[in-house]
Amino acid sequence: MDWWRPHPRSHLSQDHLYAHDSTGRLHIVLHPDAHRGERYLLRIVREVVMRCGEDRGWTAFHAAAASIDGNGVLIAGPTTAGKTTVLAALACHRRADLVASDRAMLTQNAADVIGVPLSIRIAGGTLSALTPREALPPHRVLPRTFGTDQKASCTPRDFAAAFAAQVHEGAPLRLVLLPRLRDDDTPLSIQGLHGEIARAELAAACCTPDDEDWLHPWFACQTRSVEGLRAQASQVLDDLVATVPVFRITAGVRIPHLLERLADTVARRLS
């Protein structure tokens, strides 16, 4: 069997190995102390969905996504930017339906946003502002430190049910948000981005063809060239900036009523 570890530049922990046997089957071998080993099965599902989407001409983003009255909202940014916090704000205060939690795909011409199935990881600070709600995990055992990697997980269906919302496969894209939450009391502000500035920030959140967790596709090999996928992503970025409003949202997580104010700010941009 051929064995290998995750790429050292990926965000994956080194607590597992991949194996390719003589029959062509692929395997994951976990270390006995691996934390939440079931997540690797979800990662395989995610990778297969992303490869199939890219083959259809779609482009992947490190992003959450919601649907408010049928209007798709893409919430893009790096880890700890505040994507899940904004998603929770929209679900809680606008009963937004869930489309995606950490990876989303845009169809050709940036017309629609499509969700990639993944569990939703929520930090203790956000959970404490949402509870008590059935279906959401408890927050008392979690640290409320901003940016912590210790988070609770729930299924997309449970997350939506907590807010009497639904899970949708996709929605027509109407708005792009780039949250930049901070560990302070910075007043909430929203700024429209245009042209090369908007494109550069969105390009930083684009996962096609170089997803931070799948620098080499293992379980669903790419059928298109890297150059072709880059050209595809570049065209989607151009179409996105040209046709969909892009806003950067800045706020400190310590300001009062943060979730409600985030939801109101986004709703005004959709009205």
Side-chain angles (χ1 to χ4, degrees), residues 16-130:
H16 62 293
L17 294 169
Y18 295 91
H20 191 181
D21 67 23
S22 59
T23 67
R25 290 181 301 179
L26 293 154
H27 307 262
I28 297 178
V29 181
L30 299 178
H31 188 277
D33 296 327
H35 177 59
R36 293 183 58 243
E38 76 280 358
R39 63 185 170 168
Y40 295 108
L41 296 176
L42 292 174
R43 288 185 184 277
I44 294 170
V45 172
R46 180 179 81 182
E47 193 219 357
V48 170
V49 169
M50 290 172 66
R51 296 291 84 81
C52 292
E54 287 173 340
D55 287 346
R56 294 182 180 182
W58 302 354
T59 298
F61 285 81
H62 192 180
S67 175
I68 304 176
D69 298 327
N71 298 301
V73 179
L74 184 75
I75 309 164
T79 302
T80 74
K83 298 186 298 296
T84 304
T85 299
V86 174
L87 181 67
L90 298 179
C92 183
H93 295 285
R94 285 294 178 271
R95 197 172 289 182
D97 293 322
L98 175 66
V99 176
S101 63
D102 190 64
R103 290 294 191 283
M105 305 199 77
L106 299 189
T107 60
Q108 292 171 314
N109 305 318
D112 298 287
V113 56
I114 307 295
V116 176
L118 271 179
S119 60
I120 300 176
R121 301 184 68 236
I122 314 175
T126 300
L127 271 176
S128 66
L130 297 171

Side-chain angles (χ1 to χ4, degrees), residues 129 181-189 249-262 265:
L181 303 189
R182 304 171 178 174
D183 187 17
D184 56 25
D185 58 356
T186 299
L188 188 150
S189 65
I249 295 182
T250 303
V253 297
R254 300 181 187 179
I255 64 174
H257 310 294
L258 172 63
L259 298 187
E260 184 174 1
R261 295 171 68 178
L262 283 170
T265 297

Side-chain angles (χ1 to χ4, degrees), residues 94-221:
R94 285 294 178 271
R95 197 172 289 182
D97 293 322
L98 175 66
V99 176
S101 63
D102 190 64
R103 290 294 191 283
M105 305 199 77
L106 299 189
T107 60
Q108 292 171 314
N109 305 318
D112 298 287
V113 56
I114 307 295
V116 176
L118 271 179
S119 60
I120 300 176
R121 301 184 68 236
I122 314 175
T126 300
L127 271 176
S128 66
L130 297 171
T131 53
R133 285 179 183 269
E134 291 187 21
L136 290 183
H139 70 278
R140 292 182 178 84
V141 298
L142 293 172
R144 297 180 62 178
T145 306
F146 179 77
T148 180
D149 192 49
Q150 298 182 48
K151 300 179 180 180
S153 296
C154 65
T155 68
R157 195 170 301 278
D158 283 347
F159 179 86
F163 307 102
Q166 297 179 334
V167 179
H168 288 311
E169 178 180 320
L173 185 59
R174 298 289 182 262
L175 187 68
V176 176
L177 303 174
L178 302 172
R180 296 297 182 267
L181 303 189
R182 304 171 178 174
D183 187 17
D184 56 25
D185 58 356
T186 299
L188 188 150
S189 65
I190 185 166
Q191 175 188 8
L193 302 181
H194 308 280
E196 289 303 316
I197 295 176
R199 194 186 191 284
E201 295 217 17
L202 288 165
C206 184
C207 299
T208 297
D210 302 309
D211 186 278
E212 62 191 11
D213 286 346
W214 299 108
L215 298 180
H216 300 294
W218 299 311
F219 288 86
C221 294

